[in-house]
mmCIF file of all heavy atoms in Angstrom:
data_model
loop_
_atom_site.group_PDB
_atom_site.id
_atom_site.type_symbol
_atom_site.label_atom_id
_atom_site.label_comp_id
_atom_site.label_asym_id
_atom_site.label_seq_id
_atom_site.Cartn_x
_atom_site.Cartn_y
_atom_site.Cartn_z
ATOM 1 N N VAL T 1224 7.777 -20.683 -27.190
ATOM 2 C CA VAL T 1224 6.842 -19.684 -26.705
ATOM 3 C C VAL T 1224 7.032 -18.431 -27.495
ATOM 4 O O VAL T 1224 8.231 -17.948 -27.671
ATOM 5 C CB VAL T 1224 7.096 -19.353 -25.174
ATOM 6 C CG1 VAL T 1224 6.081 -18.463 -24.663
ATOM 7 C CG2 VAL T 1224 7.226 -20.610 -24.426
ATOM 8 N N ALA T 1227 6.826 -12.107 -27.240
ATOM 9 C CA ALA T 1227 5.748 -11.180 -27.104
ATOM 10 C C ALA T 1227 6.073 -9.821 -27.743
ATOM 11 O O ALA T 1227 5.198 -9.153 -28.285
ATOM 12 C CB ALA T 1227 5.422 -10.914 -25.548
ATOM 13 N N TYR T 1238 -1.382 -7.120 -24.705
ATOM 14 C CA TYR T 1238 -2.046 -7.903 -23.676
ATOM 15 C C TYR T 1238 -1.414 -7.530 -22.382
ATOM 16 O O TYR T 1238 -1.021 -8.405 -21.618
ATOM 17 C CB TYR T 1238 -1.931 -9.365 -24.094
ATOM 18 C CG TYR T 1238 -2.783 -9.621 -25.224
ATOM 19 C CD1 TYR T 1238 -2.317 -9.592 -26.554
ATOM 20 C CD2 TYR T 1238 -4.166 -9.951 -25.059
ATOM 21 C CE1 TYR T 1238 -3.120 -9.783 -27.676
ATOM 22 C CE2 TYR T 1238 -4.947 -10.162 -26.155
ATOM 23 C CZ TYR T 1238 -4.444 -10.117 -27.419
ATOM 24 O OH TYR T 1238 -5.182 -10.354 -28.519
ATOM 25 N N THR T 1239 -1.286 -6.325 -22.116
ATOM 26 C CA THR T 1239 -0.691 -5.780 -20.936
ATOM 27 C C THR T 1239 -1.402 -4.562 -20.429
ATOM 28 O O THR T 1239 -1.790 -3.748 -21.255
ATOM 29 C CB THR T 1239 0.805 -5.382 -21.317
ATOM 30 O OG1 THR T 1239 1.581 -6.513 -21.362
ATOM 31 C CG2 THR T 1239 1.426 -4.453 -20.355
ATOM 32 N N ILE T 1253 -4.264 -3.630 -1.719
ATOM 33 C CA ILE T 1253 -4.001 -5.030 -1.991
ATOM 34 C C ILE T 1253 -5.184 -5.820 -2.499
ATOM 35 O O ILE T 1253 -5.099 -6.447 -3.533
ATOM 36 C CB ILE T 1253 -3.542 -5.731 -0.712
ATOM 37 C CG1 ILE T 1253 -2.395 -4.992 -0.031
ATOM 38 C CG2 ILE T 1253 -3.133 -7.113 -1.071
ATOM 39 C CD1 ILE T 1253 -2.081 -5.403 1.288
ATOM 40 N N GLU T 1260 -5.966 -8.187 -10.815
ATOM 41 C CA GLU T 1260 -5.067 -9.178 -11.311
ATOM 42 C C GLU T 1260 -5.742 -10.496 -11.662
ATOM 43 O O GLU T 1260 -5.451 -11.083 -12.686
ATOM 44 C CB GLU T 1260 -3.951 -9.402 -10.305
ATOM 45 C CG GLU T 1260 -2.597 -9.789 -10.809
ATOM 46 C CD GLU T 1260 -2.445 -11.206 -10.757
ATOM 47 O OE1 GLU T 1260 -3.199 -11.942 -10.133
ATOM 48 O OE2 GLU T 1260 -1.488 -11.678 -11.464
ATOM 49 N N GLN T 1267 -5.675 -13.485 -19.922
ATOM 50 C CA GLN T 1267 -4.302 -13.552 -20.302
ATOM 51 C C GLN T 1267 -3.592 -12.212 -20.385
ATOM 52 O O GLN T 1267 -2.569 -12.169 -21.026
ATOM 53 C CB GLN T 1267 -4.341 -14.187 -21.734
ATOM 54 C CG GLN T 1267 -5.265 -15.269 -21.978
ATOM 55 C CD GLN T 1267 -4.550 -16.596 -21.809
ATOM 56 O OE1 GLN T 1267 -3.570 -16.664 -21.076
ATOM 57 N NE2 GLN T 1267 -5.075 -17.663 -22.427
ATOM 58 N N SER T 1269 -1.153 -9.351 -18.642
ATOM 59 C CA SER T 1269 -0.251 -9.218 -17.574
ATOM 60 C C SER T 1269 -0.378 -7.773 -16.992
ATOM 61 O O SER T 1269 -0.843 -6.851 -17.716
ATOM 62 C CB SER T 1269 1.158 -9.425 -18.018
ATOM 63 O OG SER T 1269 1.330 -10.815 -18.345
ATOM 64 N N VAL T 1270 0.051 -7.548 -15.751
ATOM 65 C CA VAL T 1270 -0.112 -6.301 -15.051
ATOM 66 C C VAL T 1270 1.216 -5.666 -14.720
ATOM 67 O O VAL T 1270 2.065 -6.304 -14.113
ATOM 68 C CB VAL T 1270 -0.968 -6.457 -13.775
ATOM 69 C CG1 VAL T 1270 -1.103 -5.129 -13.042
ATOM 70 C CG2 VAL T 1270 -2.283 -7.096 -14.090
ATOM 71 N N LEU T 1272 2.915 -3.130 -12.421
ATOM 72 C CA LEU T 1272 2.584 -2.459 -11.172
ATOM 73 C C LEU T 1272 3.383 -1.187 -10.970
ATOM 74 O O LEU T 1272 4.676 -1.248 -11.105
ATOM 75 C CB LEU T 1272 2.925 -3.463 -9.992
ATOM 76 C CG LEU T 1272 2.673 -2.833 -8.604
ATOM 77 C CD1 LEU T 1272 1.214 -2.487 -8.463
ATOM 78 C CD2 LEU T 1272 3.143 -3.738 -7.566
ATOM 79 N N TYR T 1284 5.724 10.151 -14.686
ATOM 80 C CA TYR T 1284 6.819 9.309 -15.172
ATOM 81 C C TYR T 1284 6.357 7.919 -15.516
ATOM 82 O O TYR T 1284 6.597 7.333 -16.609
ATOM 83 C CB TYR T 1284 7.932 9.261 -14.107
ATOM 84 C CG TYR T 1284 8.893 8.145 -14.299
ATOM 85 C CD1 TYR T 1284 9.879 8.225 -15.346
ATOM 86 C CD2 TYR T 1284 8.858 6.987 -13.581
ATOM 87 C CE1 TYR T 1284 10.778 7.219 -15.616
ATOM 88 C CE2 TYR T 1284 9.727 5.934 -13.815
ATOM 89 C CZ TYR T 1284 10.711 6.026 -14.781
ATOM 90 O OH TYR T 1284 11.596 5.000 -14.972
ATOM 91 N N TYR T 1285 5.547 7.364 -14.595
ATOM 92 C CA TYR T 1285 5.026 6.042 -14.786
ATOM 93 C C TYR T 1285 4.000 6.003 -16.012
ATOM 94 O O TYR T 1285 4.004 5.080 -16.837
ATOM 95 C CB TYR T 1285 4.319 5.583 -13.544
ATOM 96 C CG TYR T 1285 5.197 4.889 -12.518
ATOM 97 C CD1 TYR T 1285 5.243 5.293 -11.200
ATOM 98 C CD2 TYR T 1285 6.058 3.814 -12.934
ATOM 99 C CE1 TYR T 1285 5.995 4.737 -10.349
ATOM 100 C CE2 TYR T 1285 6.840 3.253 -12.025
ATOM 101 C CZ TYR T 1285 6.864 3.707 -10.680
ATOM 102 O OH TYR T 1285 7.727 3.127 -9.762
ATOM 103 N N SER T 1291 4.879 4.137 -23.347
ATOM 104 C CA SER T 1291 5.908 3.684 -24.243
ATOM 105 C C SER T 1291 5.947 2.107 -24.303
ATOM 106 O O SER T 1291 6.302 1.579 -25.330
ATOM 107 C CB SER T 1291 7.305 4.153 -23.658
ATOM 108 O OG SER T 1291 7.912 3.189 -22.931
ATOM 109 N N ARG T 1292 5.412 1.492 -23.246
ATOM 110 C CA ARG T 1292 5.301 0.065 -23.335
ATOM 111 C C ARG T 1292 4.004 -0.320 -24.065
ATOM 112 O O ARG T 1292 3.666 -1.505 -24.130
ATOM 113 C CB ARG T 1292 5.350 -0.499 -21.923
ATOM 114 C CG ARG T 1292 6.715 -0.317 -21.316
ATOM 115 C CD ARG T 1292 6.841 -1.195 -20.029
ATOM 116 N NE ARG T 1292 8.126 -0.851 -19.398
ATOM 117 C CZ ARG T 1292 9.291 -1.433 -19.658
ATOM 118 N NH1 ARG T 1292 9.361 -2.384 -20.616
ATOM 119 N NH2 ARG T 1292 10.317 -1.110 -18.945
ATOM 120 N N GLU T 1397 -7.171 3.801 16.420
ATOM 121 C CA GLU T 1397 -7.670 3.226 17.676
ATOM 122 C C GLU T 1397 -7.611 4.178 18.813
ATOM 123 O O GLU T 1397 -8.494 4.184 19.696
ATOM 124 C CB GLU T 1397 -6.795 1.972 18.019
ATOM 125 C CG GLU T 1397 -7.048 0.806 17.102
ATOM 126 C CD GLU T 1397 -6.319 -0.443 17.568
ATOM 127 O OE1 GLU T 1397 -6.683 -0.938 18.701
ATOM 128 O OE2 GLU T 1397 -5.437 -0.964 16.816
ATOM 129 N N ARG T 1426 -12.566 -0.552 17.227
ATOM 130 C CA ARG T 1426 -11.798 -1.370 18.155
ATOM 131 C C ARG T 1426 -11.407 -0.574 19.313
ATOM 132 O O ARG T 1426 -11.454 -0.962 20.495
ATOM 133 C CB ARG T 1426 -10.600 -1.994 17.448
ATOM 134 C CG ARG T 1426 -9.811 -2.863 18.437
ATOM 135 C CD ARG T 1426 -8.779 -3.777 17.799
ATOM 136 N NE ARG T 1426 -8.228 -4.575 18.841
ATOM 137 C CZ ARG T 1426 -7.292 -5.565 18.634
ATOM 138 N NH1 ARG T 1426 -6.908 -5.783 17.371
ATOM 139 N NH2 ARG T 1426 -6.811 -6.220 19.605
ATOM 140 N N GLU T 1430 -12.536 -0.962 23.367
ATOM 141 C CA GLU T 1430 -11.614 -1.046 24.458
ATOM 142 C C GLU T 1430 -11.969 -0.021 25.558
ATOM 143 O O GLU T 1430 -12.034 -0.315 26.769
ATOM 144 C CB GLU T 1430 -10.151 -0.843 24.053
ATOM 145 C CG GLU T 1430 -9.433 -2.169 23.625
ATOM 146 C CD GLU T 1430 -7.973 -1.961 23.481
ATOM 147 O OE1 GLU T 1430 -7.381 -1.388 24.407
ATOM 148 O OE2 GLU T 1430 -7.445 -2.231 22.384
ATOM 149 N N ASP T 1434 -13.144 -0.828 29.263
ATOM 150 C CA ASP T 1434 -12.489 -0.268 30.427
ATOM 151 C C ASP T 1434 -13.349 0.499 31.444
ATOM 152 O O ASP T 1434 -13.173 0.533 32.587
ATOM 153 C CB ASP T 1434 -11.347 0.622 29.987
ATOM 154 C CG ASP T 1434 -10.209 -0.157 29.402
ATOM 155 O OD1 ASP T 1434 -10.246 -1.403 29.443
ATOM 156 O OD2 ASP T 1434 -9.238 0.415 28.947
ATOM 157 N N ARG T 1459 -12.599 -7.384 21.084
ATOM 158 C CA ARG T 1459 -13.360 -8.257 22.002
ATOM 159 C C ARG T 1459 -14.670 -7.511 22.319
ATOM 160 O O ARG T 1459 -14.570 -6.449 22.903
ATOM 161 C CB ARG T 1459 -12.578 -8.640 23.244
ATOM 162 C CG ARG T 1459 -11.724 -9.753 22.964
ATOM 163 C CD ARG T 1459 -10.920 -10.162 24.214
ATOM 164 N NE ARG T 1459 -10.211 -9.031 24.736
ATOM 165 C CZ ARG T 1459 -9.729 -8.964 26.028
ATOM 166 N NH1 ARG T 1459 -9.889 -10.028 26.702
ATOM 167 N NH2 ARG T 1459 -9.088 -7.869 26.435
ATOM 168 N N VAL B 869 7.909 8.926 -27.805
ATOM 169 C CA VAL B 869 8.306 8.005 -26.812
ATOM 170 C C VAL B 869 8.595 6.682 -27.604
ATOM 171 O O VAL B 869 7.778 6.161 -28.357
ATOM 172 C CB VAL B 869 7.296 7.710 -25.760
ATOM 173 C CG1 VAL B 869 7.801 6.828 -24.677
ATOM 174 C CG2 VAL B 869 6.776 8.974 -25.135
ATOM 175 N N ALA B 872 8.575 0.375 -26.947
ATOM 176 C CA ALA B 872 9.414 -0.578 -26.194
ATOM 177 C C ALA B 872 9.468 -1.915 -26.878
ATOM 178 O O ALA B 872 10.559 -2.488 -26.800
ATOM 179 C CB ALA B 872 8.864 -0.704 -24.777
ATOM 180 N N TYR B 883 14.018 -4.507 -20.167
ATOM 181 C CA TYR B 883 13.932 -3.591 -19.004
ATOM 182 C C TYR B 883 12.617 -3.897 -18.265
ATOM 183 O O TYR B 883 11.880 -3.059 -17.911
ATOM 184 C CB TYR B 883 14.035 -2.158 -19.470
ATOM 185 C CG TYR B 883 15.407 -1.905 -19.959
ATOM 186 C CD1 TYR B 883 15.724 -2.028 -21.302
ATOM 187 C CD2 TYR B 883 16.489 -1.607 -19.068
ATOM 188 C CE1 TYR B 883 17.046 -1.801 -21.782
ATOM 189 C CE2 TYR B 883 17.744 -1.413 -19.543
ATOM 190 C CZ TYR B 883 18.033 -1.564 -20.900
ATOM 191 O OH TYR B 883 19.269 -1.399 -21.327
ATOM 192 N N THR B 884 12.395 -5.121 -18.060
ATOM 193 C CA THR B 884 11.205 -5.541 -17.422
ATOM 194 C C THR B 884 11.553 -6.800 -16.538
ATOM 195 O O THR B 884 12.343 -7.636 -16.934
ATOM 196 C CB THR B 884 10.172 -6.061 -18.498
ATOM 197 O OG1 THR B 884 9.611 -4.928 -19.113
ATOM 198 C CG2 THR B 884 9.137 -6.974 -17.948
ATOM 199 N N ILE B 898 3.675 -6.836 0.760
ATOM 200 C CA ILE B 898 3.606 -5.387 0.341
ATOM 201 C C ILE B 898 4.965 -4.704 0.488
ATOM 202 O O ILE B 898 5.466 -4.060 -0.425
ATOM 203 C CB ILE B 898 2.577 -4.680 1.175
ATOM 204 C CG1 ILE B 898 1.278 -5.425 1.156
ATOM 205 C CG2 ILE B 898 2.400 -3.263 0.574
ATOM 206 C CD1 ILE B 898 0.330 -4.910 2.164
ATOM 207 N N GLU B 905 10.117 -2.653 -6.069
ATOM 208 C CA GLU B 905 9.623 -1.758 -7.084
ATOM 209 C C GLU B 905 10.407 -0.470 -7.060
ATOM 210 O O GLU B 905 10.755 0.134 -8.101
ATOM 211 C CB GLU B 905 8.200 -1.493 -6.868
ATOM 212 C CG GLU B 905 7.427 -1.192 -8.073
ATOM 213 C CD GLU B 905 7.209 0.334 -8.281
ATOM 214 O OE1 GLU B 905 7.543 1.033 -7.307
ATOM 215 O OE2 GLU B 905 6.758 0.714 -9.284
ATOM 216 N N GLN B 912 14.930 2.108 -14.092
ATOM 217 C CA GLN B 912 14.068 2.251 -15.283
ATOM 218 C C GLN B 912 13.357 0.912 -15.649
ATOM 219 O O GLN B 912 13.023 0.750 -16.798
ATOM 220 C CB GLN B 912 14.858 2.660 -16.456
ATOM 221 C CG GLN B 912 15.735 3.877 -16.159
ATOM 222 C CD GLN B 912 15.070 5.193 -16.503
ATOM 223 O OE1 GLN B 912 13.812 5.342 -16.390
ATOM 224 N NE2 GLN B 912 15.835 6.128 -16.801
ATOM 225 N N SER B 914 10.431 -1.939 -15.312
ATOM 226 C CA SER B 914 9.126 -2.085 -14.903
ATOM 227 C C SER B 914 8.842 -3.460 -14.390
ATOM 228 O O SER B 914 9.525 -4.436 -14.660
ATOM 229 C CB SER B 914 8.151 -1.804 -16.109
ATOM 230 O OG SER B 914 8.185 -0.530 -16.564
ATOM 231 N N VAL B 915 7.851 -3.578 -13.490
ATOM 232 C CA VAL B 915 7.584 -4.852 -12.806
ATOM 233 C C VAL B 915 6.187 -5.429 -13.217
ATOM 234 O O VAL B 915 5.155 -4.817 -13.127
ATOM 235 C CB VAL B 915 7.495 -4.537 -11.297
ATOM 236 C CG1 VAL B 915 7.280 -5.857 -10.548
ATOM 237 C CG2 VAL B 915 8.809 -3.899 -10.831
ATOM 238 N N LEU B 917 3.474 -7.939 -12.152
ATOM 239 C CA LEU B 917 3.013 -8.494 -10.898
ATOM 240 C C LEU B 917 2.236 -9.815 -11.144
ATOM 241 O O LEU B 917 1.297 -9.847 -11.943
ATOM 242 C CB LEU B 917 2.135 -7.508 -10.083
ATOM 243 C CG LEU B 917 1.643 -8.072 -8.796
ATOM 244 C CD1 LEU B 917 2.751 -8.371 -7.806
ATOM 245 C CD2 LEU B 917 0.647 -7.009 -8.217
ATOM 246 N N TYR B 929 2.219 -21.332 -14.963
ATOM 247 C CA TYR B 929 1.617 -20.609 -15.992
ATOM 248 C C TYR B 929 2.190 -19.171 -16.013
ATOM 249 O O TYR B 929 2.596 -18.671 -17.110
ATOM 250 C CB TYR B 929 0.151 -20.476 -15.750
ATOM 251 C CG TYR B 929 -0.581 -19.380 -16.512
ATOM 252 C CD1 TYR B 929 -0.864 -19.533 -17.882
ATOM 253 C CD2 TYR B 929 -0.901 -18.201 -15.923
ATOM 254 C CE1 TYR B 929 -1.429 -18.480 -18.639
ATOM 255 C CE2 TYR B 929 -1.587 -17.185 -16.538
ATOM 256 C CZ TYR B 929 -1.790 -17.317 -17.862
ATOM 257 O OH TYR B 929 -2.384 -16.321 -18.593
ATOM 258 N N TYR B 930 2.290 -18.571 -14.857
ATOM 259 C CA TYR B 930 2.937 -17.200 -14.872
ATOM 260 C C TYR B 930 4.387 -17.313 -15.291
ATOM 261 O O TYR B 930 4.894 -16.396 -16.018
ATOM 262 C CB TYR B 930 2.893 -16.643 -13.443
ATOM 263 C CG TYR B 930 1.545 -16.003 -13.107
ATOM 264 C CD1 TYR B 930 0.901 -16.404 -11.982
ATOM 265 C CD2 TYR B 930 1.082 -14.943 -13.926
ATOM 266 C CE1 TYR B 930 -0.380 -15.727 -11.682
ATOM 267 C CE2 TYR B 930 -0.052 -14.307 -13.679
ATOM 268 C CZ TYR B 930 -0.826 -14.759 -12.529
ATOM 269 O OH TYR B 930 -2.009 -14.075 -12.272
ATOM 270 N N SER B 936 7.782 -15.719 -21.996
ATOM 271 C CA SER B 936 7.400 -15.252 -23.293
ATOM 272 C C SER B 936 7.529 -13.779 -23.468
ATOM 273 O O SER B 936 7.706 -13.286 -24.537
ATOM 274 C CB SER B 936 5.967 -15.797 -23.584
ATOM 275 O OG SER B 936 5.012 -14.775 -23.327
ATOM 276 N N ARG B 937 7.389 -13.139 -22.310
ATOM 277 C CA ARG B 937 7.505 -11.709 -22.411
ATOM 278 C C ARG B 937 8.934 -11.222 -22.263
ATOM 279 O O ARG B 937 9.263 -10.098 -22.261
ATOM 280 C CB ARG B 937 6.679 -11.048 -21.273
ATOM 281 C CG ARG B 937 5.179 -11.124 -21.508
ATOM 282 C CD ARG B 937 4.378 -10.269 -20.485
ATOM 283 N NE ARG B 937 2.965 -10.543 -20.684
ATOM 284 C CZ ARG B 937 2.230 -10.012 -21.589
ATOM 285 N NH1 ARG B 937 2.677 -9.139 -22.385
ATOM 286 N NH2 ARG B 937 0.906 -10.298 -21.613
ATOM 287 N N GLU B 1042 -3.811 -13.047 17.977
ATOM 288 C CA GLU B 1042 -4.059 -12.342 19.263
ATOM 289 C C GLU B 1042 -4.687 -13.275 20.279
ATOM 290 O O GLU B 1042 -4.474 -13.249 21.488
ATOM 291 C CB GLU B 1042 -4.876 -11.153 19.050
ATOM 292 C CG GLU B 1042 -4.165 -10.056 18.348
ATOM 293 C CD GLU B 1042 -5.051 -8.754 18.294
ATOM 294 O OE1 GLU B 1042 -5.338 -8.203 19.316
ATOM 295 O OE2 GLU B 1042 -5.334 -8.332 17.128
ATOM 296 N N ARG B 1071 0.395 -8.545 21.321
ATOM 297 C CA ARG B 1071 -0.689 -7.695 21.654
ATOM 298 C C ARG B 1071 -1.781 -8.438 22.479
ATOM 299 O O ARG B 1071 -2.327 -7.898 23.473
ATOM 300 C CB ARG B 1071 -1.332 -7.114 20.435
ATOM 301 C CG ARG B 1071 -2.540 -6.192 20.683
ATOM 302 C CD ARG B 1071 -2.989 -5.355 19.576
ATOM 303 N NE ARG B 1071 -4.017 -4.515 20.068
ATOM 304 C CZ ARG B 1071 -4.725 -3.570 19.318
ATOM 305 N NH1 ARG B 1071 -4.290 -3.493 18.031
ATOM 306 N NH2 ARG B 1071 -5.560 -2.865 19.755
ATOM 307 N N GLU B 1075 -2.902 -7.715 26.394
ATOM 308 C CA GLU B 1075 -4.315 -7.583 26.851
ATOM 309 C C GLU B 1075 -4.647 -8.548 27.994
ATOM 310 O O GLU B 1075 -5.204 -8.153 29.009
ATOM 311 C CB GLU B 1075 -5.273 -7.819 25.691
ATOM 312 C CG GLU B 1075 -5.625 -6.657 24.906
ATOM 313 C CD GLU B 1075 -6.786 -6.895 23.969
ATOM 314 O OE1 GLU B 1075 -7.825 -7.454 24.462
ATOM 315 O OE2 GLU B 1075 -6.586 -6.610 22.778
ATOM 316 N N ARG B 1104 -1.475 -1.393 24.100
ATOM 317 C CA ARG B 1104 -1.280 -0.587 25.256
ATOM 318 C C ARG B 1104 -0.487 -1.223 26.286
ATOM 319 O O ARG B 1104 -0.886 -2.324 26.777
ATOM 320 C CB ARG B 1104 -2.613 -0.115 25.892
ATOM 321 C CG ARG B 1104 -3.218 0.995 25.080
ATOM 322 C CD ARG B 1104 -4.549 1.442 25.680
ATOM 323 N NE ARG B 1104 -5.512 0.334 25.836
ATOM 324 C CZ ARG B 1104 -6.575 0.409 26.625
ATOM 325 N NH1 ARG B 1104 -6.775 1.370 27.352
ATOM 326 N NH2 ARG B 1104 -7.347 -0.626 26.659
#
Side-chain angles (χ1 to χ4, degrees):
Chain T
V1224 187
Y1238 292 92
T1239 282
I1253 307 166
E1260 210 262 349
Q1267 315 266 28
S1269 298
V1270 179
L1272 179 63
Y1284 163 75
Y1285 276 127
S1291 97
R1292 291 189 188 278
E1397 288 187 62
R1426 180 166 184 178
E1430 272 191 52
D1434 286 357
R1459 277 183 303 165
Chain B
V869 187
Y883 292 92
T884 281
I898 309 165
E905 210 262 349
Q912 315 267 26
S914 297
V915 179
L917 178 63
Y929 163 75
Y930 276 127
S936 96
R937 291 189 188 277
E1042 288 187 62
R1071 180 166 184 178
E1075 272 192 49
R1104 279 183 302 163

